[in-house]
Amino acid sequence: MAKIQYTTPEGASGEVELTADRMSLGRTDDNMLVINDASVSSHHGEVVNEGGEWILTDLGSTNGTKVGGERVDRIELTHGGSFTLGSVDCVFVGDAPAAPAPAFGADSVRTQTMSSSSSGYGSTPVDRSRRSGFGPKVKEKNPGSGLLITLGLIALAACGYAAWSFTQMSA
């Protein structure tokens, strides 16, 4: 079974098995593939099996996905290919290794890189329609909060009036 082996900057290591044809990858527990490291975004990327080829797509993560130190949007994973999620070093172990590849070498992974003229967070265009199974990106505000704020302001005004009335009676 194909898997991703990883090592965090602190030296912790582990592996996640690729058990479905489409899996979310990130730091939070609602992902199918969880790598619990602060440098990995909560919903960092998506791993998809497209006709026997494993593809990792970055979903606009904060710290990015890199191959050989260069930030990439999409990687076609091959056996022994290495890449970095945030600050976590990863190696893809395929179903049937064809030939041994150098560990942590950029030669064993095909990539699509970003334009060199763009830089910084949010400079990568991301097709949000490809996101699936993550739920809403932002929590919706409670529509009943306006009533509570209004009642709080009325109560504050009533307290202020009571204090003012008390000072007028004692004068």
Side-chain angles (χ1 to χ4, degrees):
M1 174 156 299
K3 58 188 168 186
I4 297 172
Q5 297 174 334
Y6 63 88
T7 305
T8 66
E10 294 78 27
S13 61
E15 63 183 36
V16 289
E17 290 189 355
L18 307 181
T19 58
D21 285 339
R22 180 178 296 268
M23 291 166 285
S24 58
L25 171 79
R27 181 181 69 240
T28 58
D29 291 334
D30 62 340
N31 290 292
M32 292 179 74
L33 304 172
V34 177
I35 298 178
N36 193 6
D37 184 78
S39 68
V40 176
S41 292
S42 57
H43 297 106
H44 197 101
E46 183 177 54
V47 180
V48 179
N49 188 340
E50 294 179 355
E53 304 266 339
W54 288 100
I55 307 294
L56 170 63
T57 304
D58 189 288
L59 295 176
S61 63
T62 303
N63 294 319
T65 301
K66 299 176 188 97
V67 174
E70 189 174 339
R71 193 167 177 156
V72 296
D73 295 323
R74 178 181 163 100
I75 305 169
E76 185 178 313
L77 302 171
T78 58
H79 180 74
S82 64
F83 55 96
T84 305
L85 300 171
S87 299
V88 177
D89 292 324
C90 302
V91 175
F92 177 75
V93 179
D95 292 326
F104 294 102
D107 298 339
S108 59
V109 179
R110 284 186 269 165
T111 63
Q112 293 178 347
T113 60
M114 296 186 328
S115 161
S116 61
S117 64
S118 62
S119 64
Y121 176 70
S123 62
T124 306
V126 175
D127 182 10
R128 301 282 183 207
S129 66
R130 296 195 64 190
R131 292 183 68 143
S132 62
F134 300 133
K137 184 70 175 167
V138 179
K139 287 185 175 180
E140 295 181 23
K141 295 190 187 260
N142 184 356
S145 63
L147 178 61
L148 288 176
I149 292 172
T150 303
L151 289 174
L153 290 174
I154 291 171
L156 185 61
C159 289
Y161 178 74
W164 179 80
S165 295
F166 181 74
T167 59
Q168 294 299 319
M169 290 193 325
S170 34

